[in-house]
Amino acid sequence: MSLITTISTWIIPCIILFVLVVATMKKLPTYEIFVEGGKEGIKMAISLLPFLLGMMVSIAILRGSGAMDAMIAFISPFLKAVGVPSEIVPLAAIRPISGTAALSMTTELIKTYGPDSFIGKLASTMQGSTDTTLYILTVYFGAVGIRRMGDALKVGLIADFIGIIASIVIVTIVFSG
Amino acid sequence: MVNLIWAFMAIIGIVYAMFNGTMDNVNQALFESANEAVTLSIGLISVLVFWLGLMRIAEKAGLLRSLTTLFKPLVTRLFPEIPKDHPAMGYILSNFTANLFGLGNAATPMGIKAMEEMKKLSGSDHASRSMITFLVINTSSLTLIPTTVIAIRMQYDSSAPTEIVGTTILATCVTTISAIIVDRLFYMRRVRKNKS
């Protein structure tokens, strides 16, 4: 664990060091290039705002009204039928839609069942092994102004579903012995 | 598709609230989430400015090109549409690398740059084949060390907080590989549709 912590605290400064050393050796005007590139960041963040805001408000309405809980209750039997433990169903359903909601749900499950329980391990694995599909598509397509997403959403959601099943199978095999 | 999903989430929520007396919660959620989105976007400025600045130096110093050369066989297969020495390749690889090390903050700016370069290549506002492949790999998550999850587990006194690293990597591999396969299948379906 200490090795992992060390690596993760050293890596960013080391990348910066490496880039700056190489650029200085090549006699590049590093500071000027940095400022030039950084300017783009402000534009990008501002142009992202409406995309994020729109998506987050819509998700919040769905959650706040209680409709999302109702929908999860509705699809629960289906997920249970394919072998998803009922405690994990809400997390599995929300993982692709909202990152913050999924994280708080994972925390809740770990708190309730204990980090070393089967459910705790499964929630941990599920949280770590996929990302928030809807957020990623919103940010990346939004930032560069892509209006037609093509098959991206469909493929992303199918992959999420496979990921959920994979997590359950793997955690069951690894930790049940 | 995204227009429908977006509108339906809000419509379903509001209609549901009408019949279940949760209209107060909807109002609260509405303004809280709008606030949260602004905070999030403003918070992104620091990260975006810093990493885009640094990446510009890396690009000018030729480091992105070296990264591309290193992984050429792999990425040219994943992204056959992108010319071998195109800057998009460099950004795609930096994004993947940052993701692998769990540097989510650094991954987003590089990913956006990669999308920009890919948009220059396709020159339309439709998602190109490479964009879909790139995003699908991103949504399946490439993290090797799930730091946030480990932190939560430590907080609740796990006897082995890092125990789930192995299962997470395994599950991530399965998800990413299936994502690439599903992406290919959908691409082939598109090609067939266009032919007929």
Side-chain angles (χ1 to χ4, degrees), chain A residues 1 26 33-34 40 54 57-58 62 64-65 111 115-116 121 124-125 129 131 140 144 147-148 151 153 162, chain B residues 5-6 9 13 16 22 25 33 53 56 61 113 119 125 127 135 139-140 153 156 158-159 162-163 167 190:
Chain A
M1 183 60 206
K26 294 196 172 170
I33 299 174
F34 177 84
E40 255 181 78
V57 168
S58 188
L62 193 66
S65 66
K111 195 166 82 184
D116 300 318
K121 286 171 186 166
S124 307
T125 304
S129 66
D131 215 322
Y140 285 141
V144 296
R147 284 189 180 75
R148 302 236 157 240
D151 291 330
L153 188 65
I162 298 173
Chain B
I5 291 177
W6 184 72
M9 285 196 296
Y16 187 90
T22 46
N25 308 25
S33 62
R56 182 67 67 88
K113 280 301 279 188
K119 197 189 176 191
D125 63 354
L135 286 189
T139 61
S140 72
R153 293 172 61 79
Y156 290 102
S158 169
S159 60
T162 53
E163 198 180 28
T167 51
R190 283 200 299 275

Side-chain angles (χ1 to χ4, degrees), chain A residues 157-173:
Chain A
L157 291 178
I158 293 172
D160 285 333
F161 184 71
I162 298 173
I164 292 165
I165 303 297
S167 302
I168 297 167
V169 172
I170 291 167
V171 172
T172 310
I173 292 172

Side-chain angles (χ1 to χ4, degrees), chain A residues 3-132:
Chain A
L3 180 73
I4 295 166
T5 329
T6 315
I7 292 174
S8 48
T9 44
W10 276 61
I11 187 154
I12 289 181
C14 286
I15 293 173
I16 300 170
L17 179 78
F18 179 68
V19 171
L20 290 182
V21 168
V22 173
T24 308
M25 282 191 326
K26 294 196 172 170
K27 299 201 168 59
L28 291 170
T30 46
Y31 180 61
E32 284 159 36
I33 299 174
F34 177 84
V35 171
E36 205 50 51
K39 275 182 194 162
E40 255 181 78
I42 304 174
K43 247 186 284 161
M44 232 177 236
I46 299 298
S47 65
L48 262 180
L49 203 154
F51 289 97
L52 271 178
L53 194 145
M55 201 48 92
M56 285 172 77
V57 168
S58 188
I59 291 168
I61 293 175
L62 193 66
R63 274 184 80 196
S65 66
M68 192 179 273
D69 290 335
M71 281 160 75
I72 289 170
F74 181 74
I75 59 165
S76 282
F78 165 71
L79 285 173
K80 258 184 243 171
V82 290
V84 183
S86 54
E87 297 91 334
I88 216 90
V89 165
L91 174 65
I94 212 162
R95 188 72 190 91
I97 304 169
S98 166
T100 42
L103 190 62
S104 59
M105 234 172 239
T106 303
T107 314
E108 201 56 41
L109 284 171
I110 289 176
K111 195 166 82 184
T112 315
Y113 296 93
D116 300 318
S117 66
F118 178 75
I119 295 294
K121 286 171 186 166
L122 183 54
S124 307
T125 304
M126 216 176 261
Q127 173 71 29
S129 66
T130 64
D131 215 322
T132 319

Side-chain angles (χ1 to χ4, degrees), chain B residues 27-175:
Chain B
N27 274 310
Q28 199 190 347
L30 203 78
F31 294 107
E32 269 176 15
S33 62
N35 252 325
E36 207 183 304
V38 174
T39 319
L40 189 66
S41 306
I42 301 298
L44 275 174
I45 292 182
S46 58
V47 176
L48 284 171
V49 170
F50 179 77
W51 282 105
L52 289 180
L54 193 76
M55 285 310 286
R56 182 67 67 88
I57 303 176
E59 191 191 344
K60 288 259 152 80
L63 289 171
L64 284 187
R65 203 165 305 131
S66 330
L67 193 66
T68 318
T69 330
L70 208 61
F71 292 97
K72 202 174 253 171
L74 181 72
V75 280
T76 43
R77 268 190 202 108
L78 276 176
F79 301 97
E81 276 184 350
I82 303 176
K84 279 188 183 115
D85 293 317
H86 198 270
M89 282 292 192
Y91 283 114
I92 289 174
L93 278 168
S94 331
N95 168 273
F96 286 173
T97 319
N99 268 320
L100 282 177
F101 288 110
L103 312 173
N105 280 343
T108 311
M110 293 165 192
I112 294 176
K113 280 301 279 188
M115 290 292 285
E116 244 173 30
E117 294 294 335
M118 285 187 261
K119 197 189 176 191
K120 275 184 211 159
L121 276 175
S122 73
S124 86
D125 63 354
H126 288 230
S128 68
R129 180 192 173 185
S130 333
M131 287 178 186
I132 298 176
T133 309
F134 174 68
L135 286 189
V136 164
I137 293 175
N138 255 287
T139 61
S140 72
S141 163
L142 295 161
T143 322
L144 286 179
I145 315 284
T147 37
T148 323
V149 174
I150 294 173
I152 298 172
R153 293 172 61 79
M154 284 167 93
Q155 207 183 317
Y156 290 102
D157 302 317
S158 169
S159 60
T162 53
E163 198 180 28
I164 46 81
V165 172
T167 51
T168 304
I169 293 177
L170 218 59
T172 299
C173 287
V174 173
T175 322

